[in-house]
Amino acid sequence: MSLGDSQHNGDSTGPDDGYGGTGQTRTRYHDQGNGGVYGGARRTKSSRGTVTAVGVVVLLIAAIAFANRGGDDSSTSSSSSTAGSGSGSNSADQPDTAPTEASGEQPVTKKAAGIPSGFAHNRQGAQSAAANYAVSLGSTGMFNKDSRDKLLDTLFTAEAAAGLKAPLDKAYSASFLTRLGLDANGNAPAGSTFVSRVTPVGTKTVAYGGATATVDVWYVGLTGIAGETSTSPVTSSWKTWTYDMRWSGDDWKIVSYSEKDGPNPVPGDDRAAASDEISKAIDEYGGFTYAR
């Protein structure tokens, strides 16, 4: 996904850039004056678990709810049944480059709802689409109903989007957002910055059948609230999203998805940034359009 520059601030829900993520990890805090990192708040196990629920519990609830819908055709089936038709196919679209090498080709030249669109109808295009879609699904835009519905309508098949909206509305309830320190529209308190970003590290095609594809996206996510009084400082985590995709119209669309932890690298012993450093970085550093 580039979705353009990310310009999050304390009053922004971030629907225009689609960048974000979820996460938790061990954080080494350095000593600072006036209470240290984030006003002296050290992330506890319980607060870390609450924030992580956004990317893990919430999304898995949605995926399970969607997968368990009855009476639908193959377009709303689970990942195993959707991707089965493409498993083991040796398509002519198989890239000549080694799996770990980037193609160097420009993935797209246009956007839909601020998200890169018009990916190639081949394995490479499916991987590029999955990487960019992961960025949007891990963004702050998912915490606001209007922007969340727009993301679902843009990234998923019509059937899948319709099946996900109600479960996600329930999952992202006002009470849930309050527990995260956000208001009912997904905004952080004044003077704070809500951070939710995903950065894909790599992708791979699990199965490809021309009209269908299953793609893994390995990513590192950032989530939390940067602010002097925040009790949920921004942390990172490593996850893998698996997308079952279908060629629909002139682009790849998601039919269903799932998430698992890792692979997790050994955490470094780097100095943890102060809240104002994180807020400034989120405001100043934009994202990219991800290509295979």
Side-chain angles (χ1 to χ4, degrees), residues 59 62-69 72-85 129-130 133 137 152-165 211-215 242-248 251-258:
L59 293 183
I64 293 172
F66 174 64
N68 288 336
R69 294 172 64 212
D72 290 337
D73 59 20
S74 60
S75 67
T76 57
S77 60
S78 63
S79 60
S80 58
S81 59
T82 302
S85 61
Y133 295 172
L137 290 175
L152 295 177
D153 289 334
T154 302
L155 304 180
F156 288 79
T157 63
E159 302 95 329
L164 282 171
K165 288 179 181 177
T212 61
T214 299
V215 179
T242 298
Y243 295 108
D244 293 321
M245 310 178 76
R246 178 200 296 166
W247 185 257
S248 178
D251 214 345
W252 290 102
K253 299 292 183 180
I254 302 172
V255 176
S256 62
Y257 63 96
S258 60

Side-chain angles (χ1 to χ4, degrees), residues 25-88:
T25 190
R26 184 191 72 180
T27 302
R28 177 177 181 270
Y29 296 100
H30 68 294
D31 292 330
Q32 279 189 7
N34 300 323
V37 177
Y38 290 36
R42 289 182 180 271
R43 191 172 180 82
T44 65
K45 182 177 181 180
S46 60
S47 64
R48 179 184 296 120
T50 300
V51 176
T52 303
V54 175
V56 181
V57 176
V58 171
L59 293 183
L60 286 180
I61 287 174
I64 293 172
F66 174 64
N68 288 336
R69 294 172 64 212
D72 290 337
D73 59 20
S74 60
S75 67
T76 57
S77 60
S78 63
S79 60
S80 58
S81 59
T82 302
S85 61
S87 181

Side-chain angles (χ1 to χ4, degrees), residues 1-7 15-20 105-119 128-129 131-133 135-136 197-198 200 284-292:
M1 287 178 185
S2 185
L3 300 185
D5 292 336
S6 178
Q7 297 294 333
D16 58 328
D17 58 28
Y19 287 98
E105 297 180 12
Q106 179 71 14
V108 293
T109 58
K110 59 182 180 180
K111 296 181 179 180
I115 303 169
S117 64
F119 294 93
S128 295
N132 286 279
Y133 295 172
V135 174
S136 285
R197 282 199 185 191
V198 158
E284 294 181 349
Y285 289 87
F288 308 92
T289 297
Y290 292 88
R292 181 62 177 96

